[in-house]
Amino acid sequence: MNTETTAQSPLRLAVIIGSVRHERFADAITDWLLTELAAIDGLEVDPIDLADIDLPLQGTRPGGTETVISGRLHAADAYLVLTPEYNHSFPAALKNAIDWHFVEWAYKPVGFVGYGAGSGGIRAIEQLRLIFPELRATTTRDAVLLNAPWTRLGPNGYEATEGERAALTATMTELGWWAHTLRAGRAAVQESAA
């Protein structure tokens, strides 16, 4: 793999929607998020909605078995996790999806968009920041916290505040830096091994 070509190609971002509830606010946030991400040059976005993925509870060999999303996760240069906060944590379906995979996460960055009633999802994000480094992933310091976002649902969908838009810009700037840096590092290792 040519590292110069790799540096110029678009970043592949997997947006992982962590809520699987039938009635969920994640859809409105996802619509807003995908619209905002579409305006970023050099970014290819792949939304992975765990509500649409048939991923059973861990099987006999988690972290080593191909799943319906393994290829999509492997192809990503970076991840942006959209998570609600349930009972001071993140959804079980999200943990299951994380645990089913291992090499897909390695040496790639993970950013976060959280939402919740009073915390904006920070407690869910803080717990995810403990998990991803165990899979050799790098988490961003910046994150987007949406406090009681259902109070800002208008006729055209979710109406983000200027602060939330600024937080998304900061998160994506940091995530982009890590994605380019780690992609170049992975490419250099592959070249030296060839």
Side-chain angles (χ1 to χ4, degrees):
M1 180 181 291
N2 185 322
T3 53
E4 188 173 319
T5 303
T6 300
Q8 296 172 355
S9 61
L11 286 176
R12 294 172 303 246
L13 176 70
V15 177
I16 301 168
I17 299 110
S19 173
V20 298
R21 289 183 174 175
H22 295 295
E23 293 183 16
R24 61 183 187 171
F25 197 75
D27 295 326
I29 298 173
T30 299
D31 290 344
W32 165 73
L33 195 55
L34 294 178
T35 299
E36 295 289 325
L37 295 173
I40 299 175
D41 290 334
L43 195 62
E44 291 178 0
V45 179
D46 178 16
I48 300 175
D49 190 342
L50 296 182
D52 297 334
I53 306 298
D54 184 17
L55 197 60
L57 290 176
Q58 290 182 13
T60 57
R61 197 172 159 227
T65 303
E66 288 291 312
T67 71
V68 293
I69 58 172
S70 295
R72 293 167 69 187
L73 293 175
H74 184 72
D77 294 306
Y79 308 100
L80 187 63
V81 176
L82 172 60
T83 183
E85 183 177 310
Y86 297 157
N87 304 317
H88 287 213
S89 189
F90 55 91
L94 180 54
K95 181 68 162 80
N96 189 48
I98 293 167
D99 289 348
W100 262 107
H101 303 91
F102 184 71
V103 297
E104 292 84 355
W105 309 115
Y107 309 109
K108 295 179 184 178
V110 184
F112 303 100
V113 177
Y115 62 99
S119 70
I122 189 64
R123 291 175 290 227
I125 291 170
E126 288 303 316
Q127 291 183 32
L128 288 165
R129 285 183 172 144
L130 296 173
I131 294 166
F132 277 107
E134 289 300 312
L135 301 165
R136 294 189 169 86
T138 298
T139 62
T140 61
R141 182 188 184 284
D142 286 309
V144 182
L145 306 176
L146 307 175
N147 288 304
W150 43 87
T151 63
R152 292 184 302 285
L153 188 60
N156 297 318
Y158 180 63
E159 298 173 353
T161 66
E162 286 304 312
E164 291 166 350
R165 285 192 178 90
L168 180 60
T169 298
T171 298
M172 291 308 300
T173 299
E174 185 181 1
L175 190 64
W177 186 91
W178 277 112
H180 281 291
T181 302
L182 293 174
R183 182 168 70 175
R186 291 191 312 274
V189 169
Q190 287 175 353
E191 274 188 13
S192 67

